[in-house]
Amino acid sequence: MDKISSSEITPEHLFFSRRQLLVGAGLLVAGALAGGCGAGGPSPRAASSSAPPSSGSNQSSESLTSYEAVTGYNNFYEFSLEKEDVAALAKGFKTTPWTIEVGGMVNRPRTYGIEDILKTFAQEERIYRFRCVEAWSMVIPWTGFPLAKLLEEAEPAPGAKYVRFQTLFDPQRMAMQQDNSFDWPYIEGLRLDEAMHDLTLLATGLYGKPALPQNGAPIRLVVPWKYGFKSIKSIVKIDLVADMPVSFWMAASPDEYGFYSNVNPDVPHPRWPQSTERRIGELGRRRTMPFNGYAEQVASLYAGMDLRKNF
Ligand code: MTE
């Protein structure tokens, strides 16, 4: 589970042709067509769908980031502050058994084993842009399911307004958690309507394979219109709460990291601009898009809000 041999890795050209095959067979659901944003748009794969085939037209302008880069260039502070060291240090991290406790202000609290999650929620593929606050980006084919499905099972109680997520705390296995300069465990939060949005994914794999430890196995969040640090890894607890959670990064540096953290090229980080980004594997820089290119789907969540103040 923790290991993947190189022969198992789907080379990108095979991955693409498999995907084109599925597109040709009409297996993409309508959401993929409505989004109309190619590689960056949601591309759920659902065998039950009878949506017409998509042309897959602007795939070529945004190629998938290589598997090697996605699994070899990681931010996961529990293991290392050095992106290139995370994979080696996380190797062998055991992700079974694993439980995810869903509770707080819900009518039906439940603790899932990771195997229950995989059985209960149909896994689909979503190809999303991923934009780190450090101004690099990737395009990643995730496997997972909408967080909304899990929250619906839990039945949010009246008064629940936010969702709080927590990473495993185990300093023996995640050595950086012995370093007291951070306030462990890693915490993240979303407003309930953000959490219920169809783009918000709980990911269990990528490139058609189970996720490796460095990518947040066995289950992590992916919120494609927000900076990557919102996409918390190796989740053990999901709580519905009344008050806005204080995230790991808000606690560490409140002037630099806000609760919303929507990708916004007009609001520079205090130490660098956010107007452009380096797409891993490409030369030069790309312009960063508002909400990371998902404005059509999510901008209405923030209608009337001052996005400079609510950064
Ligand atoms: N989750 C935890 N628990 N710990 C972390 O250090 N880093 C975040 C996010 N989730 C982080 C985390 C940041 S800054 C980024 S950019 C993404 O994970 C990186 O995800 P990736 O390594 O899968 O690309």
Side-chain angles (χ1 to χ4, degrees), residues 74-78 130 132 167 186 215 220 228-229 231-233:
N74 302 101
N75 274 330
F76 203 164
Y77 273 28
E78 284 84 342
F130 188 86
C132 178
T167 294
Y186 199 99
N215 292 109
R220 59 94 56 88
F229 63 83
S231 293
I232 180 173
K233 296 177 168 181

Side-chain angles (χ1 to χ4, degrees), residues 176-196:
M176 278 296 291
Q177 289 180 336
Q178 293 166 26
D179 179 333
N180 292 330
S181 44
F182 289 102
D183 194 5
W184 306 106
Y186 199 99
I187 301 291
E188 258 308 337
L190 293 173
R191 224 170 51 192
L192 185 53
D193 58 346
E194 298 177 318
M196 295 298 288

Side-chain angles (χ1 to χ4, degrees), residues 131-133 135 225-227 261-269 272-277 286-295 307-308 311:
R131 170 63 159 79
C132 178
V133 74
W225 71 94
K226 293 179 179 283
Y227 291 119
S261 301
N262 293 318
V263 174
N264 190 342
D266 298 332
V267 177
H269 185 278
W272 58 83
Q274 292 292 19
S275 49
T276 65
E277 66 201 53
R286 287 176 171 259
R287 295 190 71 76
T288 287
M289 291 179 286
F291 299 105
N292 202 22
Y294 300 99
L307 297 179
R308 287 181 180 272
F311 65 96

Side-chain angles (χ1 to χ4, degrees), residues 69-81 83 86 130-134 136 138 140 142 166-168 174 177 184-188 206 212-216 220-222 227-235 248-249 257:
V70 176
T71 58
Y73 187 81
N74 302 101
N75 274 330
F76 203 164
Y77 273 28
E78 284 84 342
F79 291 103
S80 174
L81 309 191
K83 293 185 216 335
V86 170
F130 188 86
R131 170 63 159 79
C132 178
V133 74
E134 297 163 338
W136 53 265
M138 297 187 180
I140 304 177
W142 301 105
Q166 189 174 316
T167 294
L168 177 73
M174 292 175 147
Q177 289 180 336
W184 306 106
Y186 199 99
I187 301 291
E188 258 308 337
L206 56 91
L212 294 180
Q214 61 265 39
N215 292 109
R220 59 94 56 88
L221 189 68
V222 182
Y227 291 119
F229 63 83
K230 296 294 288 184
S231 293
I232 180 173
K233 296 177 168 181
S234 304
I235 298 168
F248 178 85
W249 285 109
Y257 305 105

Side-chain angles (χ1 to χ4, degrees), residues 145-147 190 194-195 197-202 221-223 225:
F145 61 98
L147 170 64
L190 293 173
E194 298 177 318
H197 194 283
D198 182 61
L199 286 178
T200 305
L201 203 69
L202 280 173
L221 189 68
V222 182
V223 194
W225 71 94

